[in-house]
Amino acid sequence: MQETLHLLWRAIKQDRLATFGVLVVTILVLVALFAPVLATHDPYAMTERVEGTALWVRGEQVQIQEGIAADTLFSVSADGPDSYVAAGAGGHVMRYADGEWSPVATPTTETLRAISAAAARSIAVGHNGTVLWYIDGVFEQVPAPTEADLFGVSLTEDGTALAVGESGTVLHLDGDEWRTLEVPVARDLHAVALLSSDYGYIVGARGTLLRFDGQQLAEVVSPTFRDLINIALFDRSAGYAVGERGTVLRYREGEWVEERGPLSRTLRSVAMSSAEEALVVGTHGDMMRRSGGTWQQVATGYSRHFRGVTSDGDTAVAVGTDPYINSLAHPSPEHYFGTTHNGRDIYSQVIHGSRTALVVGFVAALMVTVIGTNVGLFSGYVRGRTDNVLMRIVDIMYALPLEPFAMVLVLLGRPGIHIIILAVGLLTWRTTARIIRSQVLSLADRPFVKAARIAGASPLRIIYKHIAPNVLPLAFLQLAVAMAFAITAEATLSFLGLGPPRLYSWGTILHQARLSGAWRTAWWWVIPPGVLIMLTVVSVFFISRALEVIANPRLSRR
Amino acid sequence: MTRLIVSKLLQMLFTLWVILTVLFFLFRLGLPDPTVALVTDGLSPEDRAIVTERFGLDRPLPAQYVIYLGNALTGEFGRSFHYNAPVTSIVGERVANTLVLMLPAILISYTIGPLLGVLLAWKRGSKLEAGGITAGLVLRSAPMFWVGMLVIMLFGIQLGWFPTSGMRTFPYEAANFFEKIFTLDFLHHLILPTIVITLYYTGLPMLIMRNTMLEVMGEDFIEFAGARGLSRARVMYRHAARNALLPVVTQAAVTAGLAVGGQVVVEVVFSWPGLGLEMFNAVRTSDYPLAQAAFMLMAAIILVLNFAADVIYGRLDPRVSYTSEGAGV
């Protein structure tokens, strides 16, 4: 046994291709062992991306501008002619001027939920009572009398401001001082619109509507019980509020009335450009416009969520977007092999897939070799009727196609790793059996076997003690060949969807690529698993070629 | 020779019988209610009674088995759930579709492969030989379905040279199978899958041929032929190759069997309406009668192909190759 191994090692060292094969297999085994460390992502996790996006609406034209900020933008406000400021997560504030978005430094990393600009000044508010003032080109954090998350803010030309937030928080800025207002409800307040120092409305959860008269807040009868998320007032006689499930409230002459628009998902922001015209944005790229007395959906060609919108005459700008699934991303330093349609990291899947390939390959090959070698030993030594029957069975095995056989097993059971091992193991020992048998046939007539028989050794003893060690090199060779075959078979069967549904293998990755339909263009999804299958199998072939020289000295002449 | 054919024929029928038997018990044991293997759920009680009667499902297992064998002999495999039609009528054309894709590809592989093998043996020790061996092994390692996907991506989608699925461009009219396949459109559809199958199967005969050639080339008669002043090419291809062909032929029979199974993935990738794709769909829709019949037919194809190989090379000694290249598994 030891001598055999030593011979094998020598043969491999002499053959360059075999050395390459051993190297590759060693690396693969290491990769499989350390898969959790080497994988950069959870192979099952749908990775997400966030980025700020702007959508411009100029008349009938809609134009998307992706990646303008590194984080979600929540709110946007016009702060001059063709000039806008937008605030978002991570304390990001972006300013649009001279046709370009550029970041503005802020002293915070808190999420900024709303921004409001008037008369060359801006206020941004956010989580944990964050209030930022923008004056003379610099953002300054000002102390606020609350720790609550603030969701909305509105600033007037004359310097009055209201900020609203969770659990009925309302801050009032008059002159230089922020004070907390008495609020008749304890619900979350989502947005505020202030026209002047003594006229404004606040909207909030469960249809909350509050009126501000310069001093205090009064609850107004609301026509809805759904969450209201945003509000815009054009003047004292015209306004709109929007909310979840396509809720739209229209304000006319002191009364709020519910209206039906064409959208049914959550509406997140509304902007008005005249008493009759309004633009609403929502989730999944939803947008609608009211003009000429009716609401009409605007196709944006976009499916991510919008957060805020503002309009300035003919131009409107909407910002977003929420974190979205990073689907079908090209290879990048973040995802070496790109991502699947579900945003799963393909590199990590491939790394984890090496485990399945090696385990199934080895277990199935072992099964094949054990069955095949034993059948070959008995068939070749006992001969006669036993040999006949066993070889007939081998013939029958050759008539069964592997993939369809596995399919029948799956049809009668359920897909899984055991089906693959069983199919390969039960079917493909046929070749090993034939090859071992013919070797045993020639060994059985050798003097040492005859001597053992005369000495009275039992057939079992002769087979396992005397003959088996001599076919061991050949069995090793067959193990390698069977392993190459088993790895290909596993990939093929998994590709057909017969593999374990919750376990990644190289075949499963390709199966999912095919199912998604994205494989026709997503080359980064198709190439890596296939290259690894090929590399593994060819390495085993290389190794087995070197083993052949030992197993079959006839070949060493080559 | 006649005796050999008869004995091989009997052997083939015996194997077919064993497979039928194994299938019978697999399906009876694997399914709680045997009627689901043969009839649809939506069947009316009267129809169900007819099928039960025809397959003897109300009788004991041995009686069922006898009826099953009789039905199989007459080609009665039940009704497909999915198509709601007799299985036999569905699979008939699929067999032809499968063969028309598989046979040419195997034939090409086993023509080109040995020719290349002779070349490798001839140029022994050269870079060409080393490259040829590596290329042969690499091609055998790349799974067919993956190569199929790559080929479709490149030639079908990117370059748009070839259609990526099916046998013909829809809609088309063909009165019979031959009218369907004797068209340029069909050839256009055939090229990509044929390339994929050929690439995979060429490596094996090439490597086997090379190995046997090297052995044959050491024999005396080759030296004599060279001494007689015959050209090297003539010695190689006329004298040596002829004597080295045996193991390749043996392998061709085994490959035919493997190819029928391997065909499934190619048909799936190229949506080729053959037996393999039908079987694949039958498994997905749990269409037991169809799956059973498709499997039976695939086994039958293998047996017939092996039988043909046996008959054609009847007197050849079925030597078993030791080499890993020779081990088709």
Side-chain angles (χ1 to χ4, degrees):
Chain A
M1 179 84 185
Q2 205 165 7
E3 196 187 348
T4 312
L5 286 174
H6 185 70
L7 272 172
L8 295 183
W9 181 238
R10 273 235 323 259
I12 285 168
K13 271 206 306 202
Q14 280 167 5
D15 187 331
R16 284 217 328 261
L17 290 179
T19 317
F20 169 82
V22 169
L23 198 71
V24 170
V25 171
T26 313
I27 292 173
L28 274 170
V29 169
L30 288 176
V31 164
L33 281 176
F34 295 102
V37 184
L38 290 169
T40 51
H41 295 74
D42 175 354
Y44 301 96
M46 301 186 184
T47 57
E48 292 188 325
R49 284 188 71 188
V50 285
E51 62 177 20
T53 300
L55 179 96
W56 294 92
V57 185
R58 295 187 180 93
E60 293 299 311
Q61 287 213 311
V62 176
Q63 189 203 347
I64 275 283
Q65 212 180 354
E66 280 185 306
I68 59 163
D71 228 323
T72 304
L73 294 176
F74 279 96
S75 173
V76 61
S77 179
D79 75 338
D82 207 25
S83 173
Y84 302 88
V85 281
H92 286 287
V93 172
M94 304 298 297
R95 169 177 226 97
Y96 180 84
D98 305 323
E100 237 179 88
W101 289 96
S102 48
V104 182
T106 61
T108 182
T109 54
E110 292 285 353
T111 296
L112 298 176
R113 293 291 298 266
I115 191 162
S116 178
R121 293 187 296 177
S122 311
I123 295 179
V125 299
H127 290 173
N128 298 319
T130 307
V131 177
L132 302 180
W133 256 115
Y134 181 74
I135 307 170
D136 301 331
V138 181
F139 270 105
E140 262 176 44
Q141 187 150 8
V142 295
T146 181
E147 296 273 287
D149 289 350
L150 297 174
F151 299 139
V153 66
S154 184
L155 175 69
T156 63
E157 301 270 333
D158 57 22
T160 313
L162 278 185
V164 301
E166 63 177 336
S167 315
T169 308
V170 178
L171 304 181
H172 183 220
L173 175 75
D174 194 4
D176 279 340
E177 204 181 324
W178 289 95
R179 65 190 171 86
T180 311
L181 288 187
E182 195 81 7
V183 183
V185 294
R187 300 190 192 120
D188 285 354
L189 301 175
H190 291 138
V192 52
L194 204 58
L195 276 180
S196 64
S197 60
D198 63 348
Y199 186 86
Y201 272 95
I202 292 170
V203 294
R206 304 194 60 77
T208 305
L209 275 170
L210 303 174
R211 209 178 93 88
F212 179 66
D213 63 2
Q215 295 301 318
Q216 55 191 353
L217 296 159
E219 190 164 12
V220 179
V221 178
S222 170
T224 184
F225 58 89
R226 302 213 189 275
D227 286 359
L228 293 173
I229 294 172
N230 199 250
I231 180 172
L233 297 176
F234 183 73
D235 55 28
R236 293 194 182 210
S237 62
Y240 277 102
V242 295
E244 58 171 1
R245 300 210 185 193
T247 305
V248 179
L249 301 186
R250 184 185 188 204
Y251 181 69
R252 269 295 171 280
E253 317 295 344
E255 209 180 336
W256 288 93
V257 189
E258 186 157 16
E259 269 189 5
R260 284 255 40 105
L263 300 178
S264 57
R265 293 186 282 223
T266 300
L267 303 175
R268 283 211 174 129
S269 189
V270 54
M272 296 181 74
S273 49
S274 77
E276 290 299 324
E277 284 171 277
L279 191 69
V280 171
V281 295
T283 56
H284 300 95
D286 281 351
M287 180 178 277
M288 63 180 188
R289 189 205 306 266
R290 185 184 166 100
S291 79
T294 54
W295 285 104
Q296 258 146 13
Q297 187 165 1
V298 179
T300 59
Y302 201 61
S303 59
R304 292 170 196 156
H305 306 332
F306 292 121
R307 283 288 186 167
V309 65
T310 189
S311 75
D312 182 22
D314 290 340
T315 304
V317 59
V319 296
T321 61
D322 290 8
Y324 58 89
I325 286 172
N326 188 14
S327 71
L328 294 176
H330 283 253
S332 66
E334 168 69 4
H335 300 285
Y336 300 140
F337 296 163
T339 61
T340 71
H341 68 310
N342 283 331
R344 298 193 168 116
D345 184 61
I346 293 167
Y347 165 77
S348 303
Q349 294 186 349
V350 168
I351 294 289
H352 279 274
S354 64
R355 295 184 152 190
T356 321
L358 291 183
V359 169
V360 173
F362 188 73
V363 174
L366 203 64
M367 197 166 153
V368 166
T369 312
V370 168
I371 300 178
T373 306
N374 282 301
V375 170
L377 280 170
F378 271 90
S379 202
Y381 182 75
V382 182
R383 306 198 190 180
R385 190 178 291 261
T386 316
D387 181 31
N388 246 329
V389 169
L390 286 174
M391 284 305 109
R392 246 331 62 79
I393 295 175
V394 166
D395 285 346
I396 292 167
M397 289 296 182
Y398 270 109
L400 297 175
L402 173 72
E403 288 85 352
F405 180 66
M407 284 180 174
V408 168
L409 293 186
V410 166
L411 189 65
L412 299 174
R414 53 182 60 241
I417 208 162
H418 59 287
I419 294 282
I420 294 179
I421 293 176
L422 266 183
V424 176
L426 287 181
L427 211 60
T428 59
W429 53 264
R430 52 199 186 190
T431 309
T432 309
R434 268 191 186 174
I435 289 173
I436 298 285
R437 172 179 170 273
S438 60
Q439 176 96 326
V440 173
L441 281 179
S442 72
L443 283 171
D445 291 332
R446 297 273 182 84
F448 71 93
V449 177
K450 284 184 178 158
R453 203 160 22 206
I454 291 164
S458 71
L460 272 182
R461 190 177 163 81
I462 293 175
I463 286 175
Y464 288 109
K465 194 86 187 173
H466 299 280
I467 298 180
N470 287 291
V471 299
L472 208 59
L474 201 54
F476 263 118
L477 171 62
Q478 283 308 308
L479 182 75
V481 175
M483 188 153 168
F485 185 80
I487 291 172
T488 310
E490 187 276 321
T492 305
L493 297 176
S494 294
F495 171 74
L496 290 174
L498 309 180
R502 289 289 299 156
L503 194 66
Y504 277 108
S505 86
W506 297 329
T508 318
I509 297 172
L510 291 166
H511 170 65
Q512 290 177 351
R514 201 184 79 84
L515 272 191
S516 79
W519 66 274
R520 284 158 181 271
T521 46
W523 51 268
W524 57 89
W525 197 350
V526 175
I527 291 176
V531 167
L532 275 161
I533 298 170
M534 198 168 81
L535 210 59
T536 313
V537 174
V538 86
S539 297
V540 180
F541 276 148
F542 286 161
I543 296 171
S544 67
R545 277 177 59 81
L547 299 190
E548 247 173 69
V549 180
I550 309 291
N552 190 6
R554 188 170 58 106
L555 294 171
S556 58
R557 280 187 287 133
R558 296 194 308 212
Chain B
M1 194 67 188
T2 324
R3 265 184 60 189
L4 187 94
I5 292 179
V6 170
S7 93
K8 286 284 173 195
L9 206 61
L10 287 178
Q11 232 177 69
M12 184 174 107
L13 288 176
F14 170 76
T15 310
L16 211 55
W17 169 71
V18 173
I19 294 173
L20 268 173
T21 307
V22 170
L23 269 188
F24 174 80
F25 286 103
L26 258 182
F27 274 82
R28 287 298 179 277
L29 294 178
L31 295 171
D33 174 13
T35 56
V36 306
L38 294 160
V39 292
T40 31
D41 287 337
L43 220 59
S44 69
E46 297 84 54
D47 286 346
R48 185 179 283 271
I50 290 170
V51 176
T52 307
E53 162 72 32
R54 192 184 301 159
F55 291 93
L57 294 178
D58 47 356
R59 301 202 216 158
L61 207 63
Q64 279 188 38
Y65 174 63
V66 172
I67 294 170
Y68 163 87
L69 282 185
N71 281 333
L73 277 181
T74 54
E76 167 66 274
F77 284 101
R79 280 180 85 81
S80 156
F81 302 173
H82 188 68
Y83 294 94
N84 193 24
V87 163
T88 322
S89 70
I90 300 162
V91 290
E93 197 183 338
R94 303 285 185 267
V95 175
N97 292 349
T98 289
L99 290 177
V100 84
L101 171 62
M102 190 178 84
L103 291 181
I106 299 287
L107 208 64
I108 296 171
S109 299
Y110 276 79
T111 309
I112 297 178
L115 290 177
L116 288 175
V118 174
L119 190 69
L120 291 189
W122 181 359
K123 306 288 179 194
R124 186 182 176 191
S126 69
K127 282 222 169 79
L128 180 81
E129 192 208 15
I133 292 174
T134 313
L137 290 174
V138 167
L139 284 178
R140 285 199 60 208
S141 324
M144 259 194 292
F145 64 89
W146 180 64
V147 177
M149 288 170 104
L150 293 185
V151 164
I152 288 177
M153 258 200 298
L154 183 63
F155 297 107
I157 312 282
Q158 287 290 321
L159 298 171
W161 291 352
F162 295 100
T164 58
S165 71
M167 288 177 80
R168 288 289 302 269
T169 313
F170 286 106
Y172 67 90
E173 277 178 34
N176 57 47
F177 182 69
F178 293 99
E179 231 172 76
K180 185 168 82 179
I181 65 166
F182 286 114
T183 58
L184 279 178
D185 181 46
F186 168 75
L187 277 182
H188 200 204
H189 282 77
L190 187 67
I191 289 174
L192 282 191
T194 303
I195 287 177
V196 169
I197 301 176
T198 308
L199 277 179
Y200 187 78
Y201 286 115
T202 303
L204 190 51
M206 177 178 89
L207 295 170
I208 294 176
M209 190 66 183
R210 171 193 161 270
N211 288 355
T212 335
M213 279 292 286
L214 289 182
E215 276 173 36
V216 172
M217 278 159 65
E219 311 257 342
D220 293 342
F221 73 94
I222 297 297
E223 255 174 67
F224 289 147
R228 266 165 53 203
L230 298 174
S231 75
R232 190 78 177 139
R234 197 181 162 84
V235 173
M236 280 295 166
Y237 281 98
R238 289 297 294 272
H239 295 262
R242 193 185 280 183
N243 287 284
L245 217 54
L246 241 142
V248 173
V249 169
T250 315
Q251 183 58 41
V254 176
T255 300
L258 286 176
V260 171
Q263 181 87 358
V264 175
V265 276
V266 178
E267 286 180 6
V268 168
V269 170
F270 285 94
S271 309
W272 190 272
L275 213 49
L277 185 64
E278 207 57 66
M279 169 109 198
F280 177 70
N281 289 332
V283 170
R284 281 197 318 184
T285 52
S286 292
D287 196 336
Y288 298 102
L290 191 53
Q292 203 172 348
F295 186 84
M296 231 14 260
L297 274 170
M298 284 193 243
I301 291 177
I302 297 176
L303 286 171
V304 170
L305 288 177
N306 282 345
F307 174 70
D310 279 346
V311 170
I312 294 166
Y313 301 97
R315 295 195 169 262
L316 302 187
D317 175 15
R319 270 197 288 173
V320 181
S321 171
Y322 274 110
T323 59
S324 66
E325 291 96 336
V329 183

